[in-house]
Amino acid sequence: MRNFLRSILASPPRILVLGFAAIILLGAGLLMMPFAHTQDVTPRFIDTLFTATSAICVTGLVVVDTGTYWTTAGQLIILSMIQIGGLGFMTMATLFAIALKRRISLKERLVLQEAFNQTSIEGIIRLVRKVVIYALSIELIGAILFAIRFMFDMPTGEAIYKGVFHAVSFFNNAGFDIMGDYRSLVDYVGDPMVNIVAMLLIILGGLGFVVLADLVDIRNPKRKLSLHSKVVLSMSGFLIVAGAVIIFIFEYTNGRTMGPLGFGEKILAAFMQSVTPRTAGVNSVDIGALRQATQFLLVIFMFIGASPGSTGGGIKTTTFTALIGAVIAMVRGKEDVVLFKYRLAQERVYKALTVTLFAFGLVITATMLLSTVEDQRFLMILFEVTSAFGTVGLSMGLTAQLSVAGKIIIILMMFIGRLGPLTLTYAIGPKQGRMLYRNAEGKIIIG
């Protein structure tokens, strides 16, 4: 038995998978306690499991309204799971180990390397310290700004509480809100302060901690932005601006969303809806009322997601950039994929293609399965599945209507989306030995 457990825990991907699963089960159990919910009847385990998975996987899809169904204690349990899920349970464990002055073992460093998607363990503990400092600092500033604004609409204590909750939720790209009645930020659609603070929290959480560390160190004249940071910043900026322009055009005359808003409010709403599908799950207009073209655009954005080492999901901006670079190189007849005058290793392009095809296959399979158990429009089902895989949390209204089978499918998609399809594959699959030979080269006709 001891050898069996040792073999299971020998793989960093398996430790991550089992660790996340254990915390989800613990959270689901806590949410079933009488002090966690406002109803007299104990919630079904499938509903608490769904909520716990959504919180740990920083998704934001909910089967019950967070602001009214759960008590303050229940909401704090959810908030704790969001923080653990956003930073990673190994980050939290390492933080406690550092506080207790305990040595971090090689295996723990390897797990952290897997969790942050790093290429080596060099400087991984310094990165953990930076992650915690940056996250808590940004969340604190966001909470203060939110609280100041909310004080105009509610008592001071409630304003501070909601400020903290939404700052942590938005920075971790979780999308949970306690505004009540599934409202999210609809009541603040034209409020500049709420929208700008929310978007900054979402963007900073989605850039990735490596990029944040790079941006902080850029003050040093001897330091330059890494290729990774340049790719993340440029692609993130392009997607946000391009998405806002397209949404502004598509929804300008939609009487159920942006039509009744003033010109400035339409710009705010367009940018918010462009930022949020990059795994945040916050909305300031009714997602179900958007035009189908806009909804499909959000599906594409949710599939792309945030950036590596961040609190977001999806195939990641760097993966998308590598694919675009490969297409451009092929069209131009070039052998190498070049980004910012740097050549990408062929292995990186293969990995980008593998991640994308894995993700595409998972979304297609889950969409087909969900279509068999839920009698809803195809776009609504595709939207729900992609939102779960990208750990986004946006919904066209299907989540609360899901059957038990549908909830299980979405739970699995949230779990896979948070860990990443490759991490799960490495955890489940056997360890491959080194190839001792290469097959003869063959040729097929492509295109």
Side-chain angles (χ1 to χ4, degrees), residues 346 435-441:
Q346 198 173 51
M435 293 283 293
L436 300 179
Y437 65 92
R438 295 179 70 187
N439 297 89
E441 181 179 344

Side-chain angles (χ1 to χ4, degrees), residues 336-369:
D336 295 327
V337 177
V338 179
L339 301 173
F340 293 97
K341 299 182 179 180
Y342 285 94
R343 173 179 56 85
L344 282 189
Q346 198 173 51
E347 173 198 354
R348 294 286 151 186
V349 181
Y350 284 158
K351 186 173 182 179
L353 182 61
T354 304
V355 168
T356 304
L357 288 179
F358 259 69
F360 190 64
L362 283 168
V363 170
I364 288 176
T365 303
T367 301
M368 292 173 65
L369 291 174

